[in-house]
Amino acid sequence: MATTQARRLSTADARRGEVLATAARVFAARGYYGTSTTEVAKGAGISQSYLYRLFPDKETLFVAVVEDCSRLIREHLAEAAVGVGSAEPEAVLDAMALAYAHLIADRDDLLRVLMHANCAASEPAIGEAVQTLYARLVEYVRSASGAPDGPVQEFFARGFLCNVAVSIGATEVDAPWTRTLLAGIRHF
């Protein structure tokens, strides 16, 4: 009996992860307001009623996607911080910035979900999830790097600029305005 229960739970957990990945792609393409749960269910190859068993409503699903993005960013920053081989705050911040630049270049869905989440933050649960994402990331970056507030703020300011530059395709345009915005910014 316990084996059946464990198998059922692990299958549901695996399916939940698959649905989150699909939801991230669908929300990335159309945003929170432009996406229906029907589209997510169809993309995941499940019924809408099964989707609602996993996530009670669209807002809960979107919050789970935001939380998953937060986890992914944190994992990449942690790998960079551990692998840098230096305890100097500047070196740790530089390694984490490089890891983040690769992450948003390689995972277009993640970047677009973050941008849409910022836009939908007026919805209370989404706003709370976005605030929690940034609160955790700021505290992690501060702790892992040992940097004071100024360099941590600069790290995030450059990250936000990278988000915008990559999302609008500025990295593909050679013009005075893009050279100004991208000077000193890592992007791939």
Side-chain angles (χ1 to χ4, degrees):
M1 181 81 169
T3 304
T4 304
Q5 180 78 8
R7 187 176 307 127
R8 202 174 300 141
L9 288 176
S10 65
T11 301
D13 288 343
R15 195 62 172 145
R16 189 175 197 276
E18 293 167 8
V19 170
L20 279 176
T22 298
R25 284 191 304 276
V26 177
F27 282 126
R30 305 216 20 214
Y32 174 72
Y33 297 109
T35 299
S36 70
T37 55
T38 303
E39 292 170 285
V40 174
K42 183 177 178 181
I46 60 174
S47 69
Q48 194 168 13
S49 62
Y50 186 66
L51 177 67
Y52 283 126
R53 284 197 349 223
L54 296 172
F55 303 95
D57 54 41
K58 182 170 94 168
E59 187 177 63
T60 303
L61 174 60
F62 190 77
V63 165
V65 169
V66 170
E67 290 168 348
D68 199 49
C69 288
S70 178
R71 176 198 55 77
L72 186 62
I73 294 168
R74 166 82 168 57
E75 286 175 0
H76 278 74
L77 296 181
E79 286 176 21
V82 168
V84 73
S86 173
E88 291 298 316
E90 186 176 307
V92 176
L93 288 173
D94 193 49
M96 288 192 292
L98 181 61
Y100 184 74
H102 278 291
L103 180 63
I104 63 172
D106 294 343
R107 295 187 183 252
D108 187 45
D109 292 345
L110 177 124
L111 175 58
R112 290 189 297 155
V113 165
L114 286 176
M115 300 298 277
H116 286 301
N118 292 334
C119 292
S122 61
E123 301 295 334
I126 296 169
E128 185 177 326
V130 172
Q131 288 177 357
T132 299
L133 175 146
Y134 290 120
R136 288 179 179 160
L137 289 176
V138 167
E139 291 312 315
Y140 176 74
V141 168
R142 180 193 331 270
S143 172
S145 70
D149 286 349
V152 171
Q153 181 189 43
E154 177 72 16
F155 174 86
F156 280 91
R158 287 180 173 270
F160 292 142
L161 181 56
C162 285
N163 289 352
V164 172
V166 171
S167 71
I168 67 171
T171 58
E172 308 300 319
V173 177
D174 184 24
W177 70 273
T178 59
R179 288 190 296 275
T180 298
L181 288 179
L182 299 174
I185 301 292
R186 293 226 174 110
H187 53 82
F188 301 95

